[in-house]
Amino acid sequence: MTNYTPKPEHKFTFGLWTVGNRGRDPFGDVVRPGKTPVELVHLLAEVGAWGVNFHDNDLVPIDATPAERDRIVRDFKAALAETGLCVPMATTNLFFDPAFKDGAFTANDPRVRAYALQKTMNAIDLGAELGAKVYVFWGGREGTETDAAKNPMESIKRSREAMNFLCEYALDKKYDLKFALEAKPNEPRGDIYNSTTGHMLAFIQTLDHPEMVGVNPEVAHEHMAGLNFVHGVAQALDAGKLFHIDLNDQAFGRYDQDFRFGAVNMKSAFFLVKLLEDNGYGGSRHFDAHAYRTEDYEGVKEFARGCMRTYLILKEKAARWNADQEIQAILAEINADDGSMSRYFGKYSSEKATTLKDESFDRPALGARGLNYERLDQLTVELLLGVR
Ligand code: GCO
Ligand code: MN
Ligand code: MN
């Protein structure tokens, strides 16, 4: 029987804003009392997390004096030292303050754009001081409700200029930091720029320092867009760009629900964990989610424990799937290759092209062959349901 206790090597992390979420929504007020960052670090240690992430203002209020900042950071460091938690990732809040109502790096007002750069440089300093190695950018307000308001070409240029400036800043300061860009199709803006992980991957290639910039895909965000998250993450892995990941869950077609990992789409959560584990993903497993609004802090701990436990159960299921003889026999059959076609694959040559054009194929036989995917999927379902 496997032990599903989280350990440091699993690299499970939570943001201060996740377990610290107080349940406010557009229709109702907070339902849980506030906890300080120090209290949240202790809560995370109690449930067995490895690391804690934060936005600048989750830790230091936006209007704190330098003396207050220093005291808060000192207390936070003491809590980290006491509990053994680390800070693998930090990020900037560029969405809450009314100054950012029209965006940060893409706002039409140049003073807002300059303030956003200043705020981000200070937040990068804070993250680096606490040991963060990944810096996330989520531009929740970088978008429009009406395209009359902003020129989309100009917005792309502004986003690029901001990322280039901040890459140079991190290099100038000699921080050991990589950037991870997080896409979301909408919410809070009507439409957000670079709306999917695929858009972000293409955008990164246009930057001055593409090597230090990757992605932070989030389950809920790709599902909001109706996309297959596993495929998006595979593309990021293939590009060597999966620097971070936001795990949660979400019913298709809904607003951003931020449910506990695996709470809704069990099968896609399984194939995601299998993808990450089979391919040796070495980064944080960050849960960007929060407890139901119905919960008190005991429920919040249940939520956090549940995210990690489900991940570990799915990891065990993935190992079982890889070891299951019947499943593997079907896979072997599906991928059978007698080598007779190998001469046509790989690098192009005009000779290859000519021989391939002369080859004859039994098209009806190709189409008539049953592939046994029904059996394969049912075996997967039974394995997940615990009867295999
Ligand atoms: C959201 C986003 C955020 C970001 C966070 C880190 O939908 O609100 O997922 O939670 O991940 O701001 O940059
Ligand atoms: Mn989100
Ligand atoms: Mn997120």
Side-chain angles (χ1 to χ4, degrees):
M1 194 61 205
T2 315
N3 178 358
Y4 303 120
T5 308
K7 300 202 183 76
E9 70 255 29
H10 300 132
K11 298 192 176 175
F12 289 137
T13 66
F14 291 82
L16 283 179
W17 71 95
T18 65
V19 284
N21 179 288
R22 299 177 62 192
R24 182 184 279 122
D25 70 17
F27 303 93
D29 210 345
V30 298
V31 293
R32 292 184 278 271
K35 281 198 186 286
T36 64
V38 166
E39 288 171 327
L40 292 170
V41 166
H42 285 279
L43 183 152
L44 286 173
E46 185 187 332
V47 299
W50 168 67
V52 57
N53 308 317
F54 56 80
H55 300 89
D56 50 353
N57 304 137
D58 298 338
L59 187 59
V60 181
I62 195 164
D63 49 8
T65 64
E68 282 164 349
R69 177 202 189 272
D70 292 348
R71 181 189 53 74
I72 291 167
V73 172
R74 199 182 55 235
D75 292 352
F76 191 67
K77 280 183 179 165
L80 295 174
E82 202 184 318
T83 56
L85 259 77
C86 58
V87 175
M89 176 272 258
T91 181
T92 329
N93 187 325
L94 294 171
F95 46 88
F96 190 82
D97 195 87
F100 298 122
K101 64 189 175 189
D102 187 33
F105 305 140
T106 65
N108 278 328
D109 186 337
R111 285 166 303 186
V112 174
R113 298 203 300 277
Y115 172 57
L117 286 175
Q118 182 202 65
K119 189 175 194 288
T120 305
M121 287 190 290
N122 289 330
I124 288 176
D125 294 343
L126 178 66
E129 181 180 346
L130 285 152
K133 297 279 182 285
V134 174
Y135 201 85
V136 164
F137 289 83
W138 174 65
R141 300 276 173 199
E142 312 291 12
T144 60
E145 284 71 42
T146 165
D147 288 328
K150 283 187 201 171
N151 177 334
M153 300 295 289
E154 198 54 40
S155 296
I156 294 167
K157 274 190 216 140
R158 287 173 182 168
S159 305
R160 180 182 302 121
E161 253 178 50
M163 290 316 303
N164 285 340
F165 186 96
L166 293 165
C167 282
E168 294 286 353
Y169 177 74
L171 291 169
D172 191 18
K173 290 280 172 182
K174 308 215 161 23
Y175 291 146
D176 175 18
L177 210 53
K178 284 182 161 186
F179 291 176
L181 311 187
E182 178 176 346
K184 187 175 182 180
N186 59 275
E187 200 190 359
R189 289 317 286 267
D191 289 289
I192 299 177
Y193 296 124
N194 280 332
S195 48
T196 69
T197 298
H199 288 77
M200 285 298 185
L201 287 170
F203 171 71
I204 290 167
Q205 294 312 313
T206 72
L207 299 175
D208 289 346
H209 294 283
E211 71 289 346
M212 68 182 282
V213 187
V215 290
N216 177 36
E218 173 168 322
V219 178
H221 297 178
E222 306 288 316
H223 285 186
M224 284 169 72
L227 301 176
N228 182 316
F229 187 65
V230 177
H231 295 185
V233 173
Q235 194 173 354
L237 276 169
D238 177 72
K241 292 293 187 196
L242 190 67
F243 290 2
H244 201 264
I245 192 161
D246 276 4
L247 303 171
N248 56 13
D249 213 348
Q250 166 83 19
F252 276 77
R254 303 289 167 91
Y255 64 95
D256 188 11
Q257 295 179 305
D258 283 338
F259 287 153
R260 191 180 71 255
F261 181 58
V264 185
N265 303 287
M266 189 72 78
K267 215 163 128 189
S268 75
F270 165 71
F271 282 113
L272 174 64
V273 171
K274 182 167 146 40
L275 178 78
L276 296 175
E277 298 299 326
D278 285 354
N279 290 282
Y281 168 68
S284 294
R285 275 81 172 154
H286 173 235
F287 299 103
D288 188 9
H290 50 78
Y292 301 143
R293 191 163 180 267
T294 48
E295 304 309 292
D296 60 10
Y297 276 102
E298 284 312 305
V300 171
K301 288 184 216 165
E302 275 304 310
F303 147 81
R305 290 193 181 104
C307 285
M308 297 184 283
R309 192 173 161 82
T310 297
Y311 188 100
L312 292 175
I313 294 169
L314 292 175
K315 181 176 167 177
E316 189 207 359
K317 295 282 183 192
R320 260 174 204 253
W321 198 92
N322 289 340
D324 188 296
Q325 289 193 358
E326 195 175 349
I327 289 175
Q328 292 311 312
I330 297 178
L331 288 177
E333 213 175 290
I334 290 167
N335 293 293
D337 185 348
D338 65 4
S340 60
M341 294 293 119
S342 304
R343 62 183 182 276
Y344 299 132
F345 301 135
K347 198 169 161 40
Y348 176 87
S349 75
S350 60
E351 193 201 340
K352 243 186 215 180
T354 314
T355 359
L356 178 52
K357 280 176 124 182
D358 287 342
E359 176 78 48
S360 67
F361 293 96
D362 184 353
R363 193 165 41 79
L366 293 178
R369 184 180 162 222
L371 296 180
N372 218 5
Y373 292 176
E374 281 289 357
R375 178 78 190 143
L376 179 61
D377 188 66
Q378 181 63 23
L379 290 173
T380 304
V381 167
E382 293 193 11
L383 192 146
L384 289 177
L385 291 177
V387 298
R388 260 191 102 70

